[in-house]
Amino acid sequence: MNSPTHQRRLRGITGVLGIAAASIAGSAEQPLDEVVVVATRLPVPAAKVGNSVSVLQRADIDASQAIAVSDLLASLPGVGVTRSGGPGGLTGLRIRGAEADHTLVLIDGVQINDPAAPGGGFDFGNLLTAGISRIEVLRGPQSTLYGSQAIGGVVNIVTTEAGGAPGGSLQAEYGSQDSTRFRADVGGSSHRASARLAGEYYRTDGISTFGSGDERDAFRNTSLAGRLGYEIAGNLNLDLRGYYARGRVQTDGYPPPSFVFADAGDYADKRQRVAYAGLNIGEKTAALQHRLAYQVTHVERDEFAGAIGAVAPFGEYRGVNERLEYQGSWRMAPGYTAVFGLQHETSRMRNDIDPLAADTRTDSAFVQLQGEPVQGLTLTGGYRQDDHKSFGSHGSLQFAAAWQTSIGAIVRASWGQGFKAPTLYQLFSAYGNPGLKPETSRGWDVGVEQHWQEERIRASATWFERDTRQLISFLNCPDPGNVICSAPGHLPFGYYQNAALARASGVELQASVVISPMADLKANFTHAVSRDRSPGSADYGLQLLRRPKQVLNAALNLHFGTRVTATTALRHVSASPEMNFDVFPAQRIALDPYTLVDLRLAVDAGRDWRVSGRVENLFDRRYETVYQYGTLRRAAFLSVNRSF
């Protein structure tokens, strides 16, 4: 599966492009004057941010031609993506080797992780790029500002803001697997009011979720995102935001009579609703500002299973998150700022499988200070206290520093703590354990970034490490007579416990170079070792499942005049460990490494028209990100865009 020839090829590719990234090319994540919000909850120039952050603007999203947000995020350093099948399939995102449910996901500042999921993680399968103007990815433990679940990092998705001159855009796309996409957005401002609405419809015949199957599994999605702003008075502004997505994805399963993974008529309906209502108090130039907000998220899943042509309801899952939040900011003196806040969060879930209905609440307070004690050196420190109804109190600390040196380099360093509260399912289901403690992590990173020739050449390197403790794992107890399986009030087949440890460490290299007015090159390379450190584990010291050690992304852009841009994008992923459950006992295996090449072309046709097209997986490579699950082969798409 990982032949000597392929290993030599991997070493060659990694060596050549790694040297290129370290010496001349690669992508510094944003210009020095780029404003970053997610790292401090306030707009701060990138040069003053000590944390490791990637920022994608609307121009980056458009240039990628990506439909799914997960495909876009997979091109960033330190980010790993796995998908169970084709478009719409269960999609997990791992930051620096953390678990998929250790990533906190926000849409317009509202947490959208699923309280009804066993691990509480967010499924990226239903999240498309329409209506999104900006994405910020914050790497490393970040619970000081964001609370539970921010062990690996935070993904902050910002929809297009209301305001500006009236106008909008339309897009239509068609391609392989009979894929069709329609997108529209419109908005503007008048006097005191501003509004923006974006919508998208996408459908595709898809591919077989079962990798060896021949029956296609379709996916369709409808999404809407809207914003409304109103200036009640000069120092009082109303901010309303909403997001809705509904997707139906066909999947495969374990049909009778064999009950082995195969083509089946299974499908799932997924719905996400996000609402935000906020009051911003204080002039934009005022030293002291306040924000009061109410946020609510509904995540709903209906699953259906059975043989093809005989599908029956299988499960209904509902999760609700409500949050009341106050945030204040105070510019204490030139170069010194404080951000502080209070939060009250209620989480509820139910399913009809156990059946189970449960809820919990968390009250939190946080404060973070940022200052520039000497010119060029920005220091940040913060603390958070969370009071959870089930496990009690937990505190989180964070420190960061950014130093702009006299030679033009920026040195960054950060240390932080993260935690993840046990989910409602882990606490209260038939397999739950009310005595569970939160999963915790401590991590640090150190990086240096250098710009040359007026930012025509940029390069950066970041070293990181994270230890995660009290990881919640399932103790399987097939023998009810085993004394260690005694868990009063629980089923005899097992229960959740705080038993696992893990360590992740590695390096992220980025660089970019403007070769000429006609060409530029960007690349990033991640080497991450994520090991099981659980005492007594059969996998002790081994790489964690679904975590490749090396990932390389590179893109060469060619500009023909001001109207035509052609891009060749490459993504290489090394072998990753998996489990084969088709044998007993289950065996650890390795998924083959793979290299994908995409071609993209964008043409400015004038009069606000743009035509673009792409070929994905140009060389029609077979590969897997999840064992036995299908992935897209070579596919071509053409779209037409109109702005007005």
Side-chain angles (χ1 to χ4, degrees), residues 83-84 86-92 114 122-127 219-223 244-251 267-273 298-304 317-318:
R83 186 165 65 195
S84 299
L90 179 64
T91 305
D114 185 0
F122 176 69
D123 177 10
F124 278 84
N126 209 34
L127 183 60
F219 171 58
R220 67 171 182 259
N221 173 283
T222 302
S223 60
Y244 171 81
R246 179 170 187 172
R248 174 169 173 166
V249 57
Q250 295 177 339
T251 60
Y267 71 91
D269 277 325
K270 308 176 186 179
R271 298 175 295 280
Q272 286 120 12
R273 299 195 301 273
H298 289 261
V299 181
E300 302 173 352
R301 300 193 321 276
D302 295 320
E303 298 182 354
F304 300 82
Y317 305 83
R318 301 290 184 266

Side-chain angles (χ1 to χ4, degrees), residues 94-112:
R94 295 173 173 85
I95 297 178
R96 290 180 171 173
E99 299 293 336
D101 54 24
H102 287 170
T103 300
L104 181 69
V105 184
L106 309 169
I107 291 184
D108 288 333
V110 183
Q111 179 178 329
I112 57 171

Side-chain angles (χ1 to χ4, degrees), residues 590-637:
L591 300 182
D592 286 338
Y594 59 90
T595 302
L596 304 177
V597 176
D598 297 341
L599 298 180
R600 298 192 288 266
L601 182 68
V603 179
D604 180 358
R607 296 181 180 273
D608 299 319
W609 289 89
R610 188 176 79 254
V611 179
S612 57
R614 66 189 183 278
V615 178
E616 299 177 354
N617 194 359
L618 176 66
F619 298 108
D620 202 25
R621 300 301 189 197
R622 290 184 177 272
Y623 67 101
E624 293 176 306
T625 63
V626 179
Y627 180 56
Q628 289 191 320
Y629 281 82
T631 51
L632 290 169
R633 303 291 296 276
R634 181 167 50 227
F637 304 88

Side-chain angles (χ1 to χ4, degrees), residues 410-464:
I410 301 175
V411 179
R412 293 184 170 93
S414 69
W415 179 91
Q417 296 177 314
F419 83 98
K420 177 177 178 287
T423 67
L424 293 169
Y425 188 88
Q426 292 167 343
L427 287 168
F428 303 120
S429 72
Y431 306 99
N433 179 357
L436 287 173
K437 299 299 182 183
E439 299 174 311
T440 63
S441 70
R442 295 181 179 181
W444 60 264
D445 56 35
V446 176
V448 59
E449 177 181 335
Q450 180 69 64
H451 298 208
W452 297 276
Q453 298 184 14
E454 297 180 343
E455 297 195 20
R456 291 184 64 250
I457 301 175
R458 296 181 285 175
S460 67
T462 303
W463 293 264
F464 67 88

Side-chain angles (χ1 to χ4, degrees), residues 60 101 150 167 210 232 301 341 355 361 400 451 542 546 579 604 615 637:
D60 303 312
D101 54 24
F210 174 50
I232 301 173
R301 300 193 321 276
R361 59 135 183 91
H451 298 208
L542 299 181
R546 300 182 184 175
M579 292 298 293
D604 180 358
V615 178
F637 304 88

